[in-house]
Amino acid sequence: NAGVTQTPKFQVLKTGQSMTLQCAQDMNHEYMSWYRQDPGMGLRLIHYSVGAGITDQGEVPNGYNVSRSTTEDFPLRLLSAAPSQTSVYFCASSMTHSGQETQYFGPGTRLLVL
Amino acid sequence: AQSVTQLGSHVSVSEGALVLLRCNYSSSVPPYLFWYVQYPNQGLQLLLKYTSAATLVKGINGFEAEFKKSETSFHLTKPSAHMSDAAEYFCAVSKRGSNYKLTFGKGTLLTVNP
């Protein structure tokens, strides 16, 4: 298994540009989540999904959209990038079953918005 | 609402010394608790988790943590620090059955001196 994969690894955007951060997992996990990591802030939840076709907002959802058309993929869209969205973005996945509570994290995408 | 407080944004120890990283949580319901480690420019790796079984939890790389409900704490310890333990450590909490919504502390950077 490749686990959780994210592309790209690094991206530079100009203010106002749009882009999609890709996330995929091959573990057949029902749950998927997006977090952003900023210095001194830890990780904060942006959006999450409990299954295909079901998404919901986390702590910091403004400026981001998500969709989940398949179990494997959970892309994060920035419609109009702002410098405040400069961050490291992590995707994570996990299972529903008791005893399988661990969230597995991808390697991250570093985003710089100029 | 849930929250996590990690006391000390930076902890420095000598190689071979005890490692103690502090985590206190707030939760209105019985929580799941996690410790993750992040090496430079990498994703997060689970060290250990508490999911209401034994209160003393053993993890990878010789780390362990004890859930103390009366103190709302979940401190991470390792008897003898190794140079390879230098990393950032994050404590996180979730509600039971909601492992896709982790609330993280702000992290503690561990430095190990030779």
Side-chain angles (χ1 to χ4, degrees), chain B residues 5-55:
Chain B
T5 301
Q6 291 184 239
L7 296 176
S9 60
H10 187 194
V11 171
S12 182
V13 300
S14 298
E15 191 172 19
L18 171 72
V19 175
L20 171 60
L21 304 182
R22 299 179 186 273
C23 172
N24 288 90
Y25 71 92
S26 173
S27 178
S28 58
V29 298
Y32 287 160
L33 292 158
F34 305 83
W35 273 101
Y36 282 87
V37 62
Q38 184 181 35
Y39 298 102
N41 298 314
Q42 295 189 22
L44 278 72
Q45 179 183 6
L46 181 72
L47 277 176
L48 48 80
K49 61 184 178 182
Y50 166 76
T51 56
S52 76
T55 56

Coordinates of all heavy atoms in Angstrom, one line a residue, chain B residues 5-55:
Chain B
T5 N -3.6 21.5 25.5 CA -2.6 22.4 25.8 C -1.3 21.7 26.0 O -1.2 20.7 26.8 CB -2.9 23.2 27.1 OG1 -4.1 23.9 27.0 CG2 -1.8 24.2 27.5
Q6 N -0.3 22.0 25.3 CA 1.0 21.4 25.5 C 1.9 22.5 26.2 O 2.1 23.6 25.7 CB 1.6 21.1 24.1 CG 0.9 19.9 23.5 CD 1.6 19.4 22.2 OE1 1.0 19.4 21.1 NE2 2.8 19.0 22.3
L7 N 2.4 22.1 27.3 CA 3.2 23.0 28.1 C 4.6 23.0 27.7 O 5.3 21.9 27.7 CB 3.1 22.6 29.6 CG 1.7 22.8 30.2 CD1 1.7 22.3 31.6 CD2 1.2 24.2 30.1
G8 N 5.1 24.1 27.2 CA 6.5 24.2 26.7 C 6.5 24.0 25.2 O 6.3 22.9 24.7
S9 N 6.8 25.0 24.5 CA 6.9 24.9 23.0 C 8.3 24.3 22.6 O 8.4 23.9 21.5 CB 6.7 26.3 22.4 OG 7.7 27.2 22.8
H10 N 9.2 24.4 23.6 CA 10.6 23.8 23.3 C 11.1 23.2 24.5 O 11.2 23.8 25.6 CB 11.5 25.0 22.8 CG 12.8 24.5 22.3 ND1 13.9 25.3 22.1 CD2 13.3 23.3 22.0 CE1 14.9 24.6 21.7 NE2 14.6 23.4 21.6
V11 N 11.5 21.9 24.4 CA 12.1 21.2 25.5 C 13.5 20.7 25.0 O 13.6 20.1 23.9 CB 11.2 20.0 25.9 CG1 12.0 19.1 26.9 CG2 9.9 20.5 26.5
S12 N 14.5 20.9 25.9 CA 15.8 20.5 25.5 C 16.3 19.5 26.6 O 16.2 19.8 27.8 CB 16.8 21.7 25.5 OG 18.1 21.3 25.1
V13 N 16.8 18.4 26.2 CA 17.4 17.4 27.1 C 18.7 16.9 26.6 O 19.1 17.0 25.4 CB 16.4 16.2 27.3 CG1 15.0 16.6 27.8 CG2 16.3 15.4 26.0
S14 N 19.5 16.3 27.5 CA 20.7 15.7 27.1 C 20.5 14.2 26.7 O 19.5 13.6 27.2 CB 21.7 15.7 28.3 OG 22.0 17.0 28.7
E15 N 21.3 13.7 25.8 CA 21.2 12.3 25.4 C 21.3 11.4 26.7 O 22.2 11.6 27.5 CB 22.3 12.0 24.4 CG 22.1 10.7 23.7 CD 23.1 10.4 22.6 OE1 24.2 11.1 22.6 OE2 22.9 9.6 21.8
G16 N 20.4 10.5 26.8 CA 20.3 9.6 27.9 C 19.5 10.1 29.1 O 19.2 9.3 30.0
A17 N 19.0 11.3 29.0 CA 18.2 11.9 30.1 C 16.7 11.5 29.8 O 16.3 11.1 28.7 CB 18.3 13.4 30.2
L18 N 15.9 11.7 30.9 CA 14.5 11.5 30.8 C 13.8 12.5 29.9 O 14.1 13.7 29.9 CB 13.8 11.5 32.1 CG 12.3 11.5 32.2 CD1 11.8 10.1 31.9 CD2 11.8 12.0 33.6
V19 N 12.9 12.0 29.0 CA 12.1 12.9 28.2 C 10.7 13.0 28.8 O 10.1 12.0 29.1 CB 12.0 12.5 26.8 CG1 11.0 13.4 26.0 CG2 13.4 12.4 26.1
L20 N 10.2 14.2 29.1 CA 8.8 14.4 29.6 C 8.2 15.6 28.8 O 8.7 16.7 28.9 CB 8.8 14.8 31.1 CG 7.5 15.2 31.7 CD1 6.4 14.1 31.5 CD2 7.7 15.6 33.1
L21 N 7.2 15.2 28.0 CA 6.5 16.2 27.3 C 5.0 16.3 27.8 O 4.4 15.2 27.8 CB 6.5 15.9 25.8 CG 7.9 15.7 25.1 CD1 7.7 15.5 23.6 CD2 8.7 16.9 25.4
R22 N 4.6 17.5 28.2 CA 3.3 17.6 28.9 C 2.2 17.9 28.0 O 2.3 18.7 27.0 CB 3.4 18.7 30.0 CG 4.5 18.4 31.0 CD 4.6 19.5 32.0 NE 5.7 19.3 32.9 CZ 5.7 18.5 34.0 NH1 4.5 18.0 34.4 NH2 6.7 18.4 34.8
C23 N 1.0 17.3 28.2 CA -0.2 17.5 27.5 C -1.4 17.5 28.4 O -1.5 16.5 29.2 CB -0.4 16.5 26.4 SG -2.0 16.5 25.5
N24 N -2.2 18.5 28.4 CA -3.4 18.6 29.2 C -4.6 18.8 28.2 O -4.4 19.5 27.2 CB -3.4 19.7 30.2 CG -2.5 19.3 31.4 OD1 -1.3 19.6 31.4 ND2 -3.1 18.6 32.4
Y25 N -5.7 18.1 28.4 CA -6.8 18.2 27.5 C -8.0 18.7 28.2 O -8.1 18.7 29.4 CB -7.0 16.9 26.8 CG -7.6 15.9 27.8 CD1 -9.0 15.7 27.9 CD2 -6.8 15.1 28.6 CE1 -9.5 14.8 28.8 CE2 -7.3 14.2 29.5 CZ -8.7 14.1 29.6 OH -9.2 13.2 30.5
S26 N -9.0 19.2 27.4 CA -10.3 19.6 27.9 C -11.3 18.9 27.0 O -11.2 19.0 25.7 CB -10.5 21.1 27.8 OG -11.8 21.4 28.2
S27 N -12.2 18.2 27.6 CA -13.2 17.5 26.8 C -14.5 17.2 27.6 O -14.3 16.8 28.8 CB -12.7 16.1 26.2 OG -13.7 15.4 25.5
S28 N -15.6 17.5 27.0 CA -16.9 17.3 27.8 C -17.3 15.8 27.7 O -18.2 15.4 28.5 CB -18.0 18.2 27.2 OG -18.1 17.9 25.8
V29 N -16.7 15.0 26.9 CA -17.0 13.6 26.8 C -15.7 12.8 26.9 O -14.6 13.4 26.7 CB -17.7 13.3 25.5 CG1 -19.1 14.0 25.4 CG2 -16.8 13.7 24.3
P30 N -15.8 11.5 27.2 CA -14.6 10.7 27.3 C -13.8 10.8 25.9 O -14.4 10.6 24.9 CB -15.1 9.3 27.5 CG -16.4 9.5 28.2 CD -17.0 10.8 27.6
P31 N -12.6 11.1 26.0 CA -11.8 11.4 24.8 C -11.0 10.2 24.3 O -10.8 9.2 25.0 CB -10.9 12.5 25.2 CG -10.5 12.1 26.7 CD -11.8 11.5 27.2
Y32 N -10.6 10.3 23.0 CA -9.4 9.5 22.6 C -8.3 10.5 22.6 O -8.4 11.7 22.2 CB -9.7 9.0 21.1 CG -10.6 7.9 21.0 CD1 -11.2 7.6 19.7 CD2 -11.0 7.0 22.0 CE1 -12.1 6.6 19.6 CE2 -11.8 6.0 21.8 CZ -12.4 5.8 20.6 OH -13.3 4.7 20.4
L33 N -7.1 10.0 22.9 CA -5.9 10.9 23.0 C -4.8 10.3 22.2 O -4.6 9.0 22.2 CB -5.5 11.1 24.4 CG -6.4 11.9 25.2 CD1 -6.2 11.7 26.7 CD2 -6.3 13.4 24.9
F34 N -4.0 11.1 21.5 CA -3.0 10.6 20.6 C -1.7 11.5 20.8 O -1.8 12.7 21.1 CB -3.4 10.8 19.1 CG -4.7 10.1 18.8 CD1 -5.9 10.8 19.1 CD2 -4.7 8.9 18.2 CE1 -7.1 10.2 18.7 CE2 -5.9 8.3 17.8 CZ -7.1 8.9 18.1
W35 N -0.6 10.9 20.6 CA 0.7 11.6 20.4 C 1.2 11.3 19.0 O 1.4 10.1 18.7 CB 1.7 11.2 21.5 CG 1.6 11.9 22.7 CD1 1.0 11.5 23.9 CD2 2.1 13.3 23.0 NE1 1.2 12.5 24.9 CE2 1.8 13.6 24.4 CE3 2.8 14.2 22.3 CZ2 2.2 14.8 25.0 CZ3 3.2 15.4 22.9 CH2 2.9 15.7 24.2
Y36 N 1.6 12.3 18.3 CA 2.2 12.2 17.0 C 3.6 12.8 17.0 O 3.8 13.8 17.7 CB 1.4 12.9 15.9 CG 0.1 12.1 15.4 CD1 -1.1 12.3 16.1 CD2 0.2 11.3 14.3 CE1 -2.2 11.6 15.6 CE2 -0.9 10.6 13.8 CZ -2.1 10.8 14.5 OH -3.2 10.1 14.1
V37 N 4.5 12.3 16.2 CA 5.8 12.9 16.0 C 6.0 13.4 14.6 O 5.5 12.7 13.6 CB 6.9 11.9 16.4 CG1 6.9 10.7 15.5 CG2 8.3 12.6 16.3
Q38 N 6.6 14.5 14.4 CA 6.9 15.0 13.1 C 8.4 15.3 13.0 O 8.9 16.2 13.7 CB 6.1 16.3 12.8 CG 6.3 16.8 11.4 CD 5.4 18.0 11.1 OE1 5.2 18.9 12.0 NE2 4.9 18.2 9.9
Y39 N 9.1 14.6 12.1 CA 10.5 14.9 11.8 C 10.5 16.0 10.7 O 9.5 16.2 10.0 CB 11.2 13.7 11.3 CG 11.2 12.6 12.4 CD1 10.3 11.5 12.3 CD2 12.1 12.7 13.5 CE1 10.3 10.6 13.3 CE2 12.0 11.7 14.5 CZ 11.2 10.7 14.4 OH 11.1 9.7 15.4
P40 N 11.6 16.7 10.6 CA 11.7 17.9 9.7 C 11.2 17.5 8.3 O 11.7 16.5 7.7 CB 13.1 18.3 9.7 CG 13.6 17.9 11.1 CD 12.8 16.6 11.4
N41 N 10.3 18.4 7.8 CA 9.9 18.3 6.4 C 9.2 16.9 6.1 O 9.2 16.4 4.9 CB 11.0 18.5 5.4 CG 11.6 19.8 5.5 OD1 10.9 20.8 5.6 ND2 12.9 19.9 5.6
Q42 N 8.6 16.3 7.1 CA 7.8 15.1 6.9 C 6.4 15.2 7.4 O 6.1 16.2 8.1 CB 8.6 13.9 7.6 CG 9.9 13.6 7.0 CD 10.5 12.3 7.6 OE1 9.8 11.5 8.1 NE2 11.8 12.2 7.4
G43 N 5.6 14.2 7.2 CA 4.3 14.2 7.7 C 4.3 13.7 9.2 O 5.3 13.6 9.8
L44 N 3.1 13.4 9.7 CA 3.0 13.0 11.1 C 2.9 11.5 11.2 O 2.2 10.9 10.5 CB 1.7 13.7 11.7 CG 1.8 15.1 12.2 CD1 1.9 16.1 11.1 CD2 0.7 15.5 13.1
Q45 N 3.6 11.0 12.2 CA 3.6 9.6 12.5 C 3.1 9.3 13.9 O 3.5 10.0 14.9 CB 5.0 9.1 12.4 CG 5.2 7.6 12.7 CD 6.6 7.1 12.6 OE1 7.5 7.9 12.5 NE2 6.8 5.8 12.7
L46 N 2.2 8.4 14.0 CA 1.6 8.1 15.3 C 2.6 7.4 16.2 O 3.2 6.4 15.9 CB 0.4 7.2 15.2 CG -0.3 6.8 16.5 CD1 -1.1 8.0 17.0 CD2 -1.3 5.6 16.3
L47 N 2.7 8.0 17.5 CA 3.6 7.4 18.5 C 2.8 6.4 19.3 O 3.2 5.3 19.6 CB 4.2 8.4 19.4 CG 5.4 9.2 19.0 CD1 5.7 10.2 20.0 CD2 6.6 8.2 18.8
L48 N 1.6 6.8 19.8 CA 0.8 6.0 20.6 C -0.6 6.7 20.7 O -0.8 7.8 20.4 CB 1.4 5.8 22.0 CG 1.9 7.1 22.8 CD1 0.8 7.8 23.4 CD2 2.9 6.7 23.8
K49 N -1.6 5.9 21.3 CA -2.9 6.4 21.4 C -3.6 5.8 22.6 O -3.3 4.6 23.0 CB -3.7 6.1 20.1 CG -3.9 4.6 19.9 CD -4.6 4.3 18.6 CE -4.7 2.8 18.3 NZ -5.4 2.6 17.0
Y50 N -4.5 6.5 23.2 CA -5.3 6.0 24.3 C -6.8 6.0 23.8 O -7.3 7.1 23.3 CB -5.2 7.0 25.5 CG -6.3 6.7 26.5 CD1 -6.3 5.6 27.3 CD2 -7.5 7.5 26.6 CE1 -7.3 5.3 28.2 CE2 -8.5 7.3 27.5 CZ -8.4 6.2 28.3 OH -9.4 5.9 29.2
T51 N -7.4 4.8 23.9 CA -8.8 4.7 23.4 C -9.6 4.0 24.4 O -10.5 3.2 24.1 CB -8.8 4.0 22.0 OG1 -8.2 2.7 22.2 CG2 -8.2 4.8 21.0
S52 N -9.4 4.2 25.7 CA -10.2 3.8 26.8 C -9.9 2.3 27.3 O -10.6 1.8 28.0 CB -11.7 3.9 26.5 OG -12.1 2.8 25.7
A53 N -8.8 1.8 26.8 CA -8.3 0.5 27.3 C -7.4 0.8 28.5 O -7.8 1.5 29.4 CB -7.7 -0.3 26.3
A54 N -6.2 0.3 28.5 CA -5.2 0.5 29.6 C -4.9 2.0 29.7 O -4.7 2.6 28.6 CB -4.0 -0.3 29.4
T55 N -4.8 2.5 30.9 CA -4.4 3.9 31.0 C -3.0 4.2 30.8 O -2.6 5.3 30.4 CB -4.8 4.4 32.4 OG1 -4.1 3.6 33.4 CG2 -6.3 4.4 32.6

